[in-house]
Amino acid sequence: MRLLAVLLLPIVSYAATGSMEAERGVREMELDRAECYRVHDLQINKDDVHVYFTDGYLIFAKPVEGARMAAVFSADVEAGDGEVLVLPPDRSERRSLVMYTGSPNLDEHITQAVLLFGNDTYDDLKRQITANEFDRPQPEMGAMMADEWTTVVRNLASSFEARLLLDLLSRQQGRQNCFVAAVRGKHLGNFDLMYEPQTEEQVIVGRVASRNNMTYFDVWTSFEAGPYRNGRRPLPEQELTLKDYRIDATVEPDLQLRVVTKVKLTMTHGGECVLPFYIAPAMQVSAVTIDGRAAEVLQPESLRSNLMRNDGNELFLVVAEHPLEAGRDYELEFHHQGRVVIDAGNHVYFVGPRGSWYPNCETEFTRFDLTFRYPKELGLVTPGEVVSDTTEGEHRITRRVTQAPIRFAGFNLGIYQRTQIERDGFTIEVCANRAVESALQPKLQKPATHNEKGAAGAESPAVQPPDPTIRLEDLASRVASTMQFMTVRFGPPPLKTLEVSPIPGTFGQGFPGLLYLSTLAYLRREDEAVARLDPRRQDFFIDLLEAHETAHQWWGNVVSPESYRDNWLMEALANYTALLYLEEHDGHGVLAAALNNYRQDLLKRDPAGHTVESAGPIVLGTRLESSQSPASWNSITYGKGSWILHMLRSRMGDEQFMKMLAELRRRYEWKTVSTEQFRQLAAEFLPPHSSDPKLETFFEQWVYGTGIPILTLKYAVHGRPPAEKVTGTVSQSDVDPEFSVAVPVEIQGEGTRQVEWVRTSSSPVEFTATLKQAPAQVSLNTADVLAAVQ
């Protein structure tokens, strides 16, 4: 918990005093034994969330700054009962709920509930208690419940502290407060439900779970509440916008990062004092000013709410001395520091929070002016054109400015060897560490041998560490070739200079003007660290990774996703366009092999018999990375996402498909795109008289639904040449009854090939073909269909 005093002010402002008292009140919240009641038939209704306290005890917490923000319900009485009811509105969310609870609707009787809320909920409950003649104060039970539950309430409140303070300190008129209930169900055990009116999806239900020493918040269901879905209530506007970042960062010799971030802020609504921001947990915000006047910082840990958000960042609050005006630009200055750079050994550095080392809210396109001071023996990569580059004492000082708007700015450090290529007006600079990190170092020598007499023989020669600079020129050439391929088809990249840098680990990232590539991408197949991988992983690091991350210059950095449900589109586009490049560069077999591997991954089954693909629709995004199936997000996002695009390509044809991608970039340049907008765009490029002209069925099955059909072909040959007949059926299994896919039946003879298209159904579908000669082979061709043949 951090609460930083306002510096250099002769007196403490009212806003600062109020926020300090509010934070202390939330941290030290306690139950009010005088406000305990035996209750009957109470209700809490938050749009689609319904909580019923049929019979039991309810105790409220003492006020914090005049607001009662917590309560505990216990059904520990004879015939005591409570109930939670949530009905997800669409099939994908009902299917998600089934995965965790076994039921498409949440209707759970509960024995206990710890509630966090705003004054509106307290007032509503108190009115119901007052109106019910059977509800009476129970101070004796209040004393017992206060002793038993106060610590639990404090723990839960601390897990949502920043969010509670945002409601408590907000001055926005008519603002709805959040509602959190941690309940114990009679059948499902402990779980959480949250109504959050400030987000795009107001209803969230799930549970904290662990697997292999990792903690997850498994989202059972999350959706837009009824009044927002139906248009009766407008979606919450973004409260503030940030633009024109000017960041001055110093990397100390011990790798501590100290930063001053200046940014312009504009408020959507006036009269607000409390401002929400996000930053990496490793960074501590020590001071903030607004137009030069000191503001207060509240940066509590808020563990559970941060875990529920699942983006790796923490919410913190800035409290202004006076209310801010709508539409006016304010200059914010943040001072923050932390250890985000880690030495992975051999002077190879790992930058942890690559996109959240400075304060942000919504990631919007804006310009960045970046100045870094760092040890002069290190090299720096960061986006933007070099404005100045000097050395002062033991520090090198580099300033860069982006010429185009970008969504976020990353950086990297190392002792680099560099190479540079100029192509068609843009520059590719690839940096390689001069050594590999400790984790990739081979053993210094092999075990000594012994002769027949047992004497130690000569030691084997030491195994030389791999050289991460050996593929430097080849890697630069491949990145430049990928850039040319994509620039011709999708237009110019966001920035004229693209820097490529290594990062320890087995992943990559494509930021505007900056790629992070795993050290493994710099090595050769024969190097031990790569050679011990299976061939597919070798292909990924040596061939696909750099093309995929290069593609993110367009998909994610020119066109961006509207919400977490649309992130799959950016990853799928990057992956599939990388495969398109490899297809042109290395032949169609590369693409075919990749798609076949993705199909196999998606069809793998867990011990319960569930396929990886069945973990949920691709639009669930990071929710797919759960305690039940930690690896599903990767396989579904990249694998199924690539298949979705490949099947669209097969429907459109190559020329129309590439035109569609070019139009996607043109239409949504520096904008966000949703899955529905992508569907509508793709439908424009279908051939005339397509059977699914709006792609509604296609998206319902492959994007919003789950299922990979297992196809079975049965056939018989009748008659004699030249009028032989092939009759047969195609059946499908492992999918919902309404699932249907068009699949080609290929009938091959000597020098002939005939194709009969069959659209599958819940029952076997018959087909007939007349031939001039007996067929040599009859088979299902799933090269362009995500299906398996039994």
Side-chain angles (χ1 to χ4, degrees), residues 696-749:
E696 291 172 330
T697 300
F698 180 91
F699 271 66
E700 184 64 27
Q701 289 188 166
W702 297 110
V703 178
Y704 299 114
T706 62
I708 298 176
I710 308 299
L711 303 178
T712 302
L713 170 67
K714 294 181 179 180
Y715 70 93
V717 181
H718 308 279
R720 296 179 180 179
E724 294 216 30
K725 282 191 175 182
V726 175
T727 61
T729 60
V730 178
S731 305
Q732 69 178 18
S733 58
D734 264 28
V735 289
D736 293 337
E738 63 269 23
F739 198 99
S740 178
V741 63
V743 61
V745 178
E746 289 193 352
I747 306 169
Q748 294 179 328

Side-chain angles (χ1 to χ4, degrees), residues 552 555 559 561 565-575 618 637 644-645 664 673-679 699:
H552 273 307
W555 315 124
V559 180
R565 290 182 180 268
D566 312 303
N567 280 334
W568 75 272
L569 193 52
M570 299 301 106
E571 294 298 341
L573 284 164
N575 205 61
I618 197 170
T637 301
I644 289 169
L645 293 175
L664 176 63
V673 62
S674 70
T675 298
E676 274 298 285
Q677 288 171 325
F678 176 69
R679 177 189 63 78
F699 271 66

Side-chain angles (χ1 to χ4, degrees), residues 232-502:
R232 299 196 307 272
R233 191 183 301 158
L235 286 169
E237 291 185 86
Q238 186 176 324
E239 296 182 357
L240 54 90
T241 57
L242 302 177
K243 61 183 179 181
D244 189 19
Y245 271 94
R246 286 139 292 141
I247 299 178
D248 193 324
T250 299
V251 180
E252 302 290 359
D254 65 355
L255 302 181
Q256 181 84 356
L257 183 67
R258 303 185 186 279
V259 190
V260 177
T261 295
K262 297 179 182 179
V263 65
K264 291 180 181 177
L265 172 143
T266 306
M267 298 296 297
T268 303
H269 303 285
E272 188 59 85
C273 284
V274 57
L275 312 174
F277 297 94
Y278 296 93
I279 198 167
M283 297 298 288
Q284 292 81 47
V285 182
S286 56
V288 179
T289 62
I290 302 176
D291 283 350
R293 299 180 67 86
E296 190 183 7
V297 181
L298 303 176
Q299 194 176 3
E301 292 182 346
S302 301
L303 295 175
R304 192 172 298 190
S305 60
N306 292 325
L307 189 63
M308 291 174 73
R309 197 171 55 252
N310 193 30
D311 61 5
N313 297 327
E314 287 187 346
L315 171 67
F316 74 96
L317 307 178
V318 173
V319 184
E321 186 178 13
H322 300 292
L324 304 184
E325 300 174 17
R328 173 185 161 187
D329 282 351
Y330 292 89
E331 176 85 355
L332 266 69
E333 181 175 308
F334 299 87
H335 292 250
H336 48 107
Q337 57 282 323
R339 193 168 296 280
V340 301
V341 183
I342 300 170
D343 190 341
N346 299 314
H347 302 292
V348 176
Y349 302 104
F350 178 81
V351 179
R354 290 165 292 284
S356 56
W357 53 280
Y358 55 88
N360 60 83
C361 51
E362 298 292 330
T363 50
E364 298 177 344
F365 289 102
T366 188
R367 297 180 188 272
F368 284 77
D369 185 332
L370 304 164
T371 300
F372 282 87
R373 292 171 176 81
Y374 51 101
K376 63 181 182 181
E377 67 271 14
L378 298 182
L380 170 77
V381 290
T382 198
E385 302 301 313
V386 176
V387 175
S388 61
D389 192 2
T390 60
T391 300
E392 293 183 5
E394 296 302 311
H395 280 91
R396 186 173 176 180
I397 304 172
T398 303
R399 182 185 173 202
R400 295 195 177 196
V401 177
T402 63
Q403 301 303 309
I406 61 177
R407 294 177 65 221
F408 33 71
F411 72 95
N412 209 353
L413 294 163
I415 300 177
Y416 294 138
Q417 182 173 321
R418 300 173 183 251
T419 190
Q420 186 171 295
I421 295 178
E422 303 283 342
R423 292 273 178 91
D424 299 337
F426 54 82
T427 301
I428 308 295
E429 184 168 20
V430 181
C431 307
N433 285 313
R434 298 179 184 273
V436 296
E437 58 265 27
S438 297
L440 297 183
Q441 287 281 345
K443 295 179 181 179
L444 294 180
Q445 62 185 29
K446 294 180 180 178
T449 60
H450 291 74
N451 58 30
E452 292 181 358
K453 296 181 180 181
E459 292 182 346
S460 299
V463 178
Q464 294 300 313
D467 180 1
T469 69
I470 199 165
R471 288 190 61 234
L472 191 57
E473 298 294 336
D474 176 58
L475 194 57
S477 178
R478 289 183 67 89
V479 172
S481 176
T482 307
M483 287 283 284
Q484 283 183 304
F485 174 88
M486 296 184 181
T487 299
V488 167
R489 289 157 179 80
F490 315 136
L495 300 177
K496 293 182 179 180
T497 299
L498 177 65
E499 291 187 298
V500 183
S501 64

